[in-house]
Amino acid sequence: MARLCLETLDDFPLVEPGDDLCDLICASLHAAGQSLKDGDILVVAQKIVSKAEGRYRTLADIVPGADARALAAETDKDPQLVQAILDESTEVVRKRKGVLIVRHKRGWVMAQAGIDQSNIEGGDAGRILLLPEDPDASALRLKEALEKRFGVALAVVIADSFGRPFRNGTTGIAVGAAGLESFIDKRGETDLFGKKLMVSTIAHADEIASAASVLMGQADEGKPVVLIRGLDKSKHVPASALIRPIEEDMFR
């Protein structure tokens, strides 16, 4: 019988710039009488990684350029917010009133470059939170710090909530990962009947992030870390491998 166990680290504190996530996770585990074991996977909400890394901006400090002002008028958005979005992006993919979809400078296609104002101290006063500068590197640093503390082999996934074309609602995806195979290529293997697989690839880290997001929630749950046991981590492939190259985009 296959079995997968997911559990939250409850009563996790609010994270401030400069906080050591390894210390906070260790304290939370200790308070719960828990430890980490070989093969464990920790899924960490992007928001607390960004907060610890100080990825804040304040709208009042942003001077919108002509492009941002024009785009703000088209989308009915704050020009300073639009400028912040453009600063984090390489391309505007779609736009309409209330919606601005861009290609983030790290390759993700997403609403307003992942910039967030919810569950942020000072969000009502114009404080915004950006995605981590390099989520794969952030995941690797946290993985190595936790492994040093516990003397075990771990994996870390940094999860965020994304919308998807042609589907309502958001779901958890991996924006960063270390210690597991984020993207699994099954092409060349065979199915149950010996037929060769031609197109089967798996967004493994996204599946893990989505499972964890069921427990993390999207509102006031305050459960930004989920511990997963029962998965084979296998080899390391970063989450950046999940980004489809522009030349393979069939919907543009």
Side-chain angles (χ1 to χ4, degrees):
M1 180 183 293
R3 177 175 296 175
L4 186 63
C5 176
L6 293 86
E7 54 186 291
T8 58
L9 301 189
D10 294 338
D11 301 319
F12 203 84
L14 293 176
V15 176
E16 297 291 342
D19 282 350
D20 187 320
L21 289 182
C22 179
D23 285 345
L24 296 180
I25 290 170
C26 288
S28 187
L29 286 165
H30 179 74
Q34 272 276 28
S35 186
L36 295 178
K37 302 177 182 179
D38 268 323
D40 282 351
I41 300 172
L42 278 173
V43 183
V44 182
Q46 161 271 319
K47 193 163 291 185
I48 66 169
V49 177
S50 290
K51 288 181 177 182
E53 294 179 358
R55 295 283 290 156
Y56 287 107
R57 294 187 74 180
T58 302
L59 291 179
D61 297 333
I62 299 173
V63 179
D67 289 344
R69 292 194 299 271
L71 193 54
E74 286 187 70
T75 58
D76 196 25
K77 288 183 174 291
D78 184 311
Q80 292 161 311
L81 175 60
V82 172
Q83 184 61 61
I85 295 168
L86 294 179
D87 290 345
E88 292 296 299
S89 308
T90 60
E91 177 188 4
V92 174
V93 177
R94 291 288 187 272
K95 57 186 176 180
R96 70 180 188 193
K97 290 287 185 184
V99 179
L100 183 54
I101 308 296
V102 298
R103 184 178 296 276
H104 190 278
K105 57 189 178 183
R106 297 210 66 87
W108 309 297
V109 175
M110 59 196 311
Q112 58 184 56
I115 291 175
D116 209 342
Q117 291 175 281
S118 63
N119 283 322
I120 296 170
E121 302 83 344
D124 291 338
R127 200 182 194 196
I128 59 176
L129 188 67
L130 314 181
L131 293 176
E133 191 71 38
D134 185 344
D136 278 331
S138 299
L140 181 59
R141 285 193 298 270
L142 182 56
K143 169 186 179 293
E144 290 176 341
L146 289 166
E147 286 179 334
K148 186 175 181 180
R149 295 280 185 99
F150 290 94
V152 296
L154 306 168
V156 170
V157 171
I158 297 175
D160 195 9
S161 299
F162 269 51
R164 301 147 299 156
F166 317 118
R167 302 284 288 183
N168 287 323
T170 63
T171 188
I173 75 155
V175 294
L180 53 79
E181 197 170 7
S182 296
F183 179 74
I184 300 176
D185 191 342
K186 292 285 187 179
R187 290 172 294 186
E189 299 184 22
T190 56
D191 67 9
L192 287 172
F193 303 99
K195 185 176 180 179
K196 189 174 181 179
L197 300 175
M198 304 300 292
V199 296
S200 297
T201 58
I202 302 168
H204 188 50
D206 282 349
E207 292 182 320
I208 292 169
S210 183
S213 74
V214 174
L215 295 181
M216 286 181 174
Q218 303 290 335
D220 62 354
E221 292 83 357
K223 301 180 187 298
V225 182
V226 173
L227 173 62
I228 298 181
R229 286 185 172 140
L231 277 178
D232 177 15
K233 297 192 289 81
S234 66
K235 62 183 180 181
H236 169 68
V237 176
S240 56
L242 293 165
I243 298 171
R244 189 184 298 278
I246 294 176
E247 57 269 20
E248 295 179 12
D249 186 343
M250 298 176 63
F251 297 94
R252 301 275 295 274

